[in-house]
Amino acid sequence: MDAHTHQSQQRAGRLPRQAGGRPPLTPGAPAAAAQARVLATSTIPVGTSPSAVEITASGKAYVVNTGSDDITVIDTATGAVLTTITLPPGSAPMAAAAISGKVYVANFNTSTISVISTATDTVTNTIALPAGSAPIGVAVSNNKVYVSNFLGNNVTVIDTSTDAILPVSPLPAGTLPSAVASTNGRVLVANTGSDNVTVIDSATDTVAGTVPLPAGSGPSSVAAAGGFAYVVNSGSATVSVIDATSLAVVGTIPLPAGTQPVAVAIAADGRAYVTDNAGGVVVVIDTATNTILYTVPAGTTPYGIAVAPNGDIYVTDYTANQVTVLSVPVVSGISPVSGPTTGGTAITITGSDFTGATGVTIAGVPAASFTVNSDTSITAVTAPGTGSGPVIVTTPEGTGTSVGTFTYIFVATSTTTTLEVIPDPAGCGEDVTLRATVVTGTGAPVTTGSVTFILSDDGPVQTVALDASGQASAVFSGLDAGGRQAAAFYTPADTSTTASNSPLTPVTVQQVTTTTTVVAVPASSTQGQPVQLTATVAPATSGSAVISGTVTFTGPGGFSQTVPVNAAGVATVTTSALPVGANTVTATYSGDGCFTGSTGTVTVNVTAPTTTATRLVAVPAAIRMRTNGTFVIPTLRATLTNAVTGAPLPGQTVTFTAEPTTGQVTLGTAVTNASGVATVSNVPVQSTLVTADYYRANFAGTAVYSPSTDKAPLDFQPLPLLP
């Protein structure tokens, strides 16, 4: 390799600046070890100055050794070197691309393309390019190989079925085209000297456009995936992101200070890996956010890079003459394979290369926590989630995805329902509140759904929605005294919680105690004077129940009378039968189903009456005979007066009697009128009464008036006959 060529390649970022060792870091740049997240890697010895690596779909890695003019073939499944393919001396191979059982190697110094059979790992053809082309990059698209000619400033197109150069060649490119990549039917060529990217339509093999990059950026490598291309700019230590459809730069990712980026590869998990030739690390970029995740140590002078089918990252170490393998984790087993959607399931993850794991996702949900037990075991705890999906372990080298899946199984949250009775016990007629509280197993209130309350013997059933505190209440009014059972039944609003019910809870309703008071009006009276006795029954507590039952009044002289109480608890009787003296009258309330019985007393003082003397004057009467032969007294009359004042005494009863030879006969009674006169008219009598000479008027007396009597003649007058 001549001096001019070497200087051009250094400018392209494709060769280390110091062939004898690692180039110095930019002052102030952090040491690679401080940036590293893990140190576990493996190395494989290869030829001299390995500058690129191409890995086939079958897992063979073809390491391009620029200094020793050969290709080291590695089995990426085992890490074993299978063979070394020798190229002509002075070839200076720089890049390779695989397609359809072939590997195409770009030989910089000889301006040739070596065609290798992947079946035999031998060179089967050599394609000569125009002299001085200096091929440095190669990519495949639409069964064609696109070779970037560093000094020819163009691109050669080769038919992979015939290995013939197509007539469209060469296609124009920018100045010093270095790396080449393809995506979505387009080939992107990074032009180191002109700071832009040439875009070729591989269907028509025409230049579709040119994407300018920041001045002085020095693009040296490009990788594409998902319609986007990531261009490494060695001169400006940045990565440009290009939309391969719109041909526009949609983002620029600055790399750490002191970075000398060389090559880029994109893994299936969406990470872009950029080799830092100066720092001895690989910078890992998340292409979803276009942000740097971290850096990983990768030998002395990381240069070319590729991703194996198993996810391992192969990095060529240009000065150490080896390949550094960054092993991505492998998830071989998970147990258990299901758990509740609420999370909290501990999962054992088995596999390899777990050291330094930075994340675990379970069915698309980041684990609530995880512990790396060893390089082959992780314990992770699920966070709440739904659905089903693989378990993914992330390390700085990449991600490992399980073949099996973890499934979030919906398990309804269990609930507990308790019941309170307020008040307990309750008085008859008092409102009774049943209050239910519904909580989850962790004690959190359940705020949706409803509670149905059932009270034995005293419906109706009541259903009430839960409130924000997880409670619901129902009021039962007018309960009679006695014992009952109550229960509360929680009904969920949806399937997120389970139904539950309270234990049977006793509800005790007691009779309300009463007091009975008695009042006598008047409290002191004269014998024979009426006295009104009023008993009032008062409950100890108020409620909705209406008092009922009877009050029995008892007292001296055989006094006893029972009357019902009204809705106000009042019962009243009137009596004139109390004897003279201090009479204790007792009022006994019978009680009912809601109220207890009670007793009250009152003392009624009764004094003997002061009597007034009376005078009774009877008027003579006659016995007459009717035409039908019967006998009658037409009129019996007597006048009752005050014996002292002579004033008439109305309203008093006078009895009239006679005493014939056959014995005393009552003739009748009458009440005195306002003049004190008592009159009985047309009194029929027996014929034997004619033997009586007189009749008698009698006043028996009262508590106020003394008795008196008088007699008057009773004559028999047969004629004239009365009708």
Side-chain angles (χ1 to χ4, degrees), residues 516-518 534-537 548-554 561-566 569-573 586-591 598 600:
T516 298
T517 57
V518 191
T534 301
T536 302
V537 181
S548 63
T550 61
V551 172
T552 299
F553 296 87
T554 58
Q561 190 169 349
T562 300
V563 294
V565 297
N566 62 19
V570 177
T572 302
V573 297
T586 300
T588 302
Y589 170 56
S590 63
S598 57

Side-chain angles (χ1 to χ4, degrees), residues 55 82 93 101-102 129 168 178 194 210 259 269 273 312 371 441 453 468 557 560 572 624 689 691 694 722:
I55 302 177
L82 299 176
K102 298 179 182 180
L129 302 180
V168 297
S178 55
S194 54
T210 300
T259 300
D269 62 4
Y273 295 85
D312 288 350
T371 301
F453 297 90
S560 178
T572 302
R624 303 292 299 274
L689 194 62
T691 62
Y694 62 88
L722 296 179

Side-chain angles (χ1 to χ4, degrees), residues 44 66 110 180 184 267 338 351 467 489 515 566 608 646 651 653 675 693 713 721 723:
I44 303 172
T66 303
T110 58
V180 60
N184 294 349
S338 63
D467 61 19
F489 297 84
T515 56
N566 62 19
T653 301
S675 300
D693 296 326
L721 297 175

Side-chain angles (χ1 to χ4, degrees), residues 306-406:
V307 181
N310 62 4
D312 288 350
I313 311 301
Y314 277 63
V315 183
T316 66
D317 191 331
Y318 194 83
T319 59
N321 301 327
Q322 63 187 14
V323 170
T324 300
V325 181
L326 306 178
S327 297
V328 299
V330 175
V331 179
S332 58
I334 56 174
S335 179
V337 296
S338 63
T341 56
T342 53
T345 302
I347 299 178
T348 299
I349 306 170
T350 55
S352 60
D353 297 305
F354 291 160
T355 301
T358 58
V360 174
T361 59
I362 303 165
V365 180
S369 63
F370 68 91
T371 301
V372 179
N373 306 316
S374 67
D375 197 52
T376 60
S377 174
I378 292 177
T379 299
V381 178
T382 62
T386 58
S388 179
V391 172
I392 300 175
V393 175
T394 300
T395 68
E397 286 86 354
T399 59
T401 302
S402 65
V403 175
T405 59
F406 180 89

